[in-house]
Amino acid sequence: MTDLVTVAVSARMAAIRIAVPGARYYLPDPVSWRLRATNGDNLAWEGRTDRAVTLLDMLSPGTAYLLEVEGLGSLQFRTRECSGLVEAAAYGLLPYVSAQDTAAALRNADALQAAIADLPVGGTLRIGPGRWTALPVTLRSDMTLHLAEGAELCSPSSRDSWSVFPARDNAGHLLGSWEGEPAACFAAPLHAIGARRLVLEGKGILDGAGNAGDWWGWAKETRDGARRARGLHLIDCSDVTLFGFTIRNAPSWIIHPQGCHRLVAACLSIEAPHDSPNTDGFNPEGSSEIRVEGVRFTVGDDCIAIKAGKRGPCGEAAHLRETRDVQIRHCLMERGHGGVVIGSEMSGGVHDVLVEDCEMIGTDRGLRLKTRRGRGGSVSGITMRRVRMEGVLTAFSANAHYHCDPDGHDEWVQSRQPAALDEGTPEIDGIAVEDIDLHEVGHAVGAFLGLPEAPIRNVSIRNLRVHSFDPEAAPAPPIMADGVQAMRHEMIVYEHAHVECDDPTLLSPSRLSVSNFQAAS
């Protein structure tokens, strides 16, 4: 039976899931739809879609609609009320001249902040067609920012006058961060702190200008006392809706919900060049009830990286928060280091993650878990089903010897001998993989490397179909740990892990670690 599901609704837009069997990012076959208002004015729209999550726009606030999809039934929904529409152009925005025009960027940021301040509760600020440059802008509660089709909001290439988040606010709450620890960072071009009922929507473009400045030249460094900015940074926000727009060229992570609760991201396009450093697409951290549907990724790092903070070098843990209840549906991940990744910053714990009806093309890995001794925390309840992968090097991996941080190659991190259990011992328990199609696998179908003192538990693999291997693949280690064998066209290899598969021929007798491996002292 087909279900039509409302994924997100604002005053002027809606995202609808058309859940037909076999749908991933695209529907098996395009369908026609008809939308009409049910308030008696007989207005109606017709269209055709090939997307499993389809965006409807140009709707009227506070209006009931009936959506009818050819051969698939109907759905009723109502748009939100809008207390007022404000045009950003009325505040004197200056048109784009160049990425170096810092004066216009400062003027436009001030104009947008004034418009946001004047916006009534529940109102909409519309940025119309045109190209505009602005320094970082702070969004607030009970507002919608609507980027109209043809609108492009860009950051300047220079960091002059660029604001910075301190690691913590005056009350000690985490603001800035870097790789899971408190750290000052440049403010994102669009950001919000503690906002409630925030909507960011439209068919326009947010461009972080990471390609125009020097951001990508100092990926792991600090400059002017701060780490690189994100593209969109949401801190301690709740009831957030993001849909319709394209976001690209972020200075670092593209969308970073940090400490957020109840957030929906739908029908977005998230983009970065393949060689841009640490441009992860969507990184929920210390967050809960996150929904990602109908999003297309092509990025320079992981498409989705789910995180929960990193324990400090001296065991600091006050900043850690668990991430729980993340659902990812009908997404297309065309390039990136990983499709859906958990970690390596997972010290607060990551639980109950569902990935279903997605497609991954040309990502290095499909589902990837990574951690190491010293991180602590636990990962549980990870489910992936009805996913198609093509040209992925290693489809499934879980690695408890990930060689991150300056001490990542040390003996105590990489040793395959049991270590004492303590608060820094990470745990992985519960990975369910079902109904997966793999094409052109490069290195291995699966690679699971646990700790001898805390093996990976309860990995269940069902209905896994390996259709083909990549004939051009060169041997390489399937996971990033020391002492791992180079592999090519391998099946499921595991060490210090409990793996059950309904097809025993997919379980390889090969060793994952080299037999004479000794970690560096």
Side-chain angles (χ1 to χ4, degrees), residues 248-298:
R248 66 190 185 194
N249 297 326
S252 63
W253 295 351
I254 300 176
I255 300 179
H256 183 198
Q258 174 184 314
C260 292
H261 182 55
R262 293 191 301 272
L263 180 147
V264 177
C267 302
L268 305 177
S269 181
I270 299 178
E271 305 171 359
H274 70 91
D275 56 352
S276 52
N278 299 108
T279 50
D280 295 12
F282 185 88
N283 287 17
E285 181 171 23
S287 297
S288 60
E289 293 188 34
I290 305 297
R291 306 290 181 261
V292 184
E293 299 209 20
V295 177
R296 185 171 188 165
F297 297 85
T298 174

Side-chain angles (χ1 to χ4, degrees), residues 460-493:
S460 173
I461 300 174
R462 300 285 183 269
N463 300 327
L464 174 61
R465 295 171 289 274
V466 183
H467 296 273
S468 60
F469 290 93
D470 179 6
E472 305 299 323
I479 56 174
M480 297 177 66
D482 293 351
V484 173
Q485 305 262 23
M487 294 182 176
R488 178 179 184 271
H489 300 175
E490 189 57 83
M491 291 297 185
I492 300 170
V493 186

Side-chain angles (χ1 to χ4, degrees), residues 368-398:
R368 182 186 188 191
L369 285 66
K370 51 184 182 177
T371 186
R372 48 153 286 186
R373 292 182 178 114
R375 289 285 163 94
S378 63
V379 175
S380 69
I382 312 303
T383 302
M384 173 179 276
R385 61 193 179 211
R386 299 189 303 274
V387 172
R388 181 183 184 273
M389 302 185 197
E390 179 180 335
V392 173
L393 296 177
T394 300
F396 314 103
S397 67

Side-chain angles (χ1 to χ4, degrees), residues 53-139:
V53 183
T54 290
L55 187 69
L56 305 174
D57 66 341
M58 298 173 56
L59 307 180
S60 298
T63 301
Y65 287 94
L66 177 67
L67 175 68
E68 298 169 300
V69 179
E70 180 185 16
L72 301 177
S74 63
L75 172 71
Q76 296 185 51
F77 66 90
R78 185 180 182 87
T79 53
R80 298 183 187 181
E81 302 288 342
C82 176
S83 62
L85 177 65
V86 174
E87 293 287 347
Y91 285 75
L93 293 184
L94 298 176
Y96 180 95
V97 176
S98 73
Q100 292 76 38
D101 193 351
T102 304
L106 181 58
R107 164 82 174 271
N108 287 343
D110 289 342
L112 290 171
Q113 290 296 173
I116 290 169
D118 291 347
L119 197 66
V121 171
T124 298
L125 175 62
R126 179 180 181 270
I127 300 179
R131 197 174 186 193
W132 321 96
T133 307
L135 281 159
V137 172
T138 305
L139 306 175

